[in-house]
Structures are given as structure tokens and as C-alpha cells.
Amino acid sequence: MSACDFKLPSPPPDLFYKFNVIRVGQGPSYLISYDINQDGAIDIISSNAKDSSISILYGNGDGTFLSTVKIQSLPEPSSLAIGDVNNDGKPDIAINSKGTHSFLTLLGKGNNKFSKLRQVRTGRVPLYLIIDDFNNDGKQDVAVSLTFSKMEIYLGYGNGIFRKGKTIQMRSRAFSGVSGDFNRDGNKDLAMAGSSSNSSAIMIFLGKGDGDFNKPIHAAVGLMPLTLIKKDMNADGLDDLIMASAKGDNILMLYSNGDGTFQKGIPFSGGGGPISLVAEHFNDDDLIDIAVANSRSSSFSLAIRKSDGTFLYKTRDYITGGTPLAITSGDYNSDGLPDIAVASNAEGTVEIFLRRRILR
């Protein structure tokens, strides 16, 4: 075969187009898509670290959003979590504050309004929040990862108030994590993306059902996981893990064994500095794909699955504003197709990319 006969792989089809750019607060670093006002349209919530605020974009259901609602928070919010912490049927928002070593809860009132609860003091520099029921009492609790290789559990009373529970030692700090029942025993577990200079791994803490956890099982050891999401990627009823790595700009998908352990990761790649992930059926087959925000290359990449479970090379890349640190997905225009939103940390914007309907 001559050099001229060699063909580079083709990228996936061009599935998205940029529909809108919306200004939020300064330094958006985390995004969630959720129907926060329960009107049937997907909204977007952004934490903005540089001006200590969160922004809520209330969706109209046609791809557009109402004027940005900005709520002042505590200093340096970098993580959000949503749950019903006071059992009133309305979603609430928990926000970390790296600057005050605490987290703040906004209780949803059901009319696009929130009431602020007293902040909860944590250990030094809280990084990431996870809301779930860790002691099986039907009330939402909060797990908080800290900068100095610890995690704290705050047990909920069911009225939005929390009491300090266990402090769990970790060998590295975790900027991201997920909860789920990874060993199918009925108790909620935690998987944390631990990454420090002397130790890195995904740490799986199996829950005891009383707010305490067993010593961690380790996966992806030495691979510097930064961001972690969960999704049932092979339709076996188990939550699998997908991580973005600081080592070689790699991304890994780890299938669950159903006992709290995970198989060796299947590697794939995005652009430069993959930092935030979302998993959805982005094309028209039955396989779940991955979209990743690339912090250094100011883009997001679409990684499409193949029938054998691996990923196509090349990716389809979309240019975004500078330093995209967060990506999320939802059906913003109510057409049954997943759309994508990306936050530009440098420009203080959220960019809306709508899914094209591919004609056959």
C-alpha cells in the first residue's frame, strides 16, 4: 500500500450545533442539568467560583432559557449537589465553599425561590459534595471530600439540618465522586476519584448502611483520576465508572463486576486536558456514548461507542469558549434528543449545543 492509499479514520457525524451562548457568573466550574422548578422543562445550574455565586437558567422547553437568576453564595463554590434534604418533595441545592470551609443548602420553595439555611462547617477546604441516604433512614445525607485526604459524612435529620457523622481517611484528595450500590447489598457506597502527588486511584468505599464505610477497594491505581461519573454502559443493570485522567489526557471506562470491584479500564481519549464528562445516547444506536470537556484545548469531544464496547477513533470535536471546566446534558428543546451545555470558565458563559436530527 502506498502512502497515498492510507486513509485517516473519519470522525463521527456532526451531531451538534451551537444554539446559544448565555452569560452566567464569573468562573463557572460545575454544571447540573435538572428540572429544578418542576415545570417539565430542563434547567441548568452553574456554580461560579470567582464571584461566589450560583446561576440558574430556567428552561423554556424549546432550547431557550429565561434571564439568568444569580444567587449569591459563600466564597469559592466549586461543586453542586441536588436532592430533597427536607422531604417536602421539592429539590434543594447544596453548594460547597472552599473559602469558608463549609457548605450551604438552598431549600427549594417551589416558586423559583429558595431559602438559605445556616452554613454547615466542614473540615479544611471542601472540594466535592454528594447527596444520598448513607444510613438507610429515608433521609438525605451529604458526603464531603476535603483537600487534606479526608471525607466527612453529614447525616440529615430530614428537615435540611445535618449532624456530623464519620470522618473517613483517604490516601489522596478527591475532586469528584459518585454514590451507588456497587456490591448490590442494599447499602449506598461511594466511589471517589483520588488524585495526589504520592497516591492516586479510584477508591470504592462500600457502605455498612449506618453512615460508616469499609476500607476502600482500589481501581485505576496510579492513573490520576480527576473526574468520575457513573452509568450502566453495557445494559447489565450495574453502574459502571468513567474517569478522566490527569495522566496522558486519557479517559477510562471501567465495567462493574457487581461486587464492589471493577474490571480493567477501557481507554479512549478526548482533547487536551479532559476535565468533565457526561454519558448519554448521543447518536442513534443503542450504545451510550461520552462527551468530555477539554480544559486546555477549549473544546468538547464526542466519543462514540462501537458494537464491541470500545470507542471510535477519532472523536468529533466542537470549539467552545476558553477553559471549559464543566459539561452537562439534557433535552433542552423537548425533542427527545440529548443536548449539551458547556461552561467556559474564562468567559463566564454557558454554551448550548442542540442535537441535530439526522435524516436517513
Side-chain angles (χ1 to χ4, degrees), residues 96-166:
N96 76 323
S97 171
K98 293 163 67 175
T100 61
H101 313 304
S102 64
F103 70 87
L104 175 70
T105 305
L106 304 178
L107 294 182
K109 299 169 70 173
N111 55 358
N112 292 10
K113 302 289 185 181
F114 294 85
S115 58
K116 292 183 181 180
L117 285 180
R118 183 179 61 190
Q119 69 191 77
V120 178
R121 298 287 298 182
T122 67
R124 293 181 61 189
V125 196
L127 298 174
Y128 198 80
L129 305 178
I130 300 171
I131 294 178
D132 212 329
D133 180 7
F134 299 119
N135 61 348
N136 292 328
D137 65 352
K139 300 165 186 174
Q140 297 283 276
D141 311 309
V142 179
V144 184
S145 69
L146 304 176
T147 293
F148 297 97
S149 303
K150 295 179 183 179
M151 179 168 57
E152 295 177 335
I153 306 299
Y154 291 84
L155 300 175
Y157 287 107
N159 58 0
I161 307 299
F162 299 89
R163 67 186 185 277
K164 176 72 167 53
K166 295 288 185 177

Side-chain angles (χ1 to χ4, degrees), residues 1-11 313-314:
M1 179 183 292
S2 66
C4 61
D5 293 327
F6 179 77
K7 291 184 178 180
L8 290 173
S10 299
Y313 179 82
K314 304 164 70 175

Side-chain angles (χ1 to χ4, degrees), residues 63-76:
T64 66
F65 296 82
L66 298 174
S67 298
T68 303
V69 175
K70 188 175 179 180
I71 301 174
Q72 205 61 34
S73 184
L74 298 172
E76 298 182 77

Side-chain angles (χ1 to χ4, degrees), residues 12-20 251 269-278 282 290-304 315-329 338-343 351-355:
D14 186 5
L15 296 178
F16 293 90
Y17 65 98
K18 188 182 293 189
F19 179 73
N20 201 0
I251 308 170
S269 62
I275 190 63
S276 183
L277 304 162
V278 65
F282 288 123
I290 304 292
V292 52
N294 305 306
S295 60
R296 290 201 316 274
S297 54
S298 295
S299 67
F300 78 86
S301 298
L302 187 62
I304 296 295
T315 58
R316 170 68 67 173
D317 299 330
Y318 296 85
I319 300 300
T320 68
T323 320
L325 295 186
I327 191 169
T328 185
S329 180
D339 309 307
I340 284 175
V342 182
E351 300 180 19
I352 309 298
F353 290 80
L354 297 183
R355 166 73 153 80

Side-chain angles (χ1 to χ4, degrees), residues 50-66:
K50 293 180 182 177
D51 65 1
S52 302
S53 71
I54 70 166
S55 298
I56 302 178
L57 309 178
Y58 289 110
N60 292 315
D62 60 359
T64 66
F65 296 82
L66 298 174

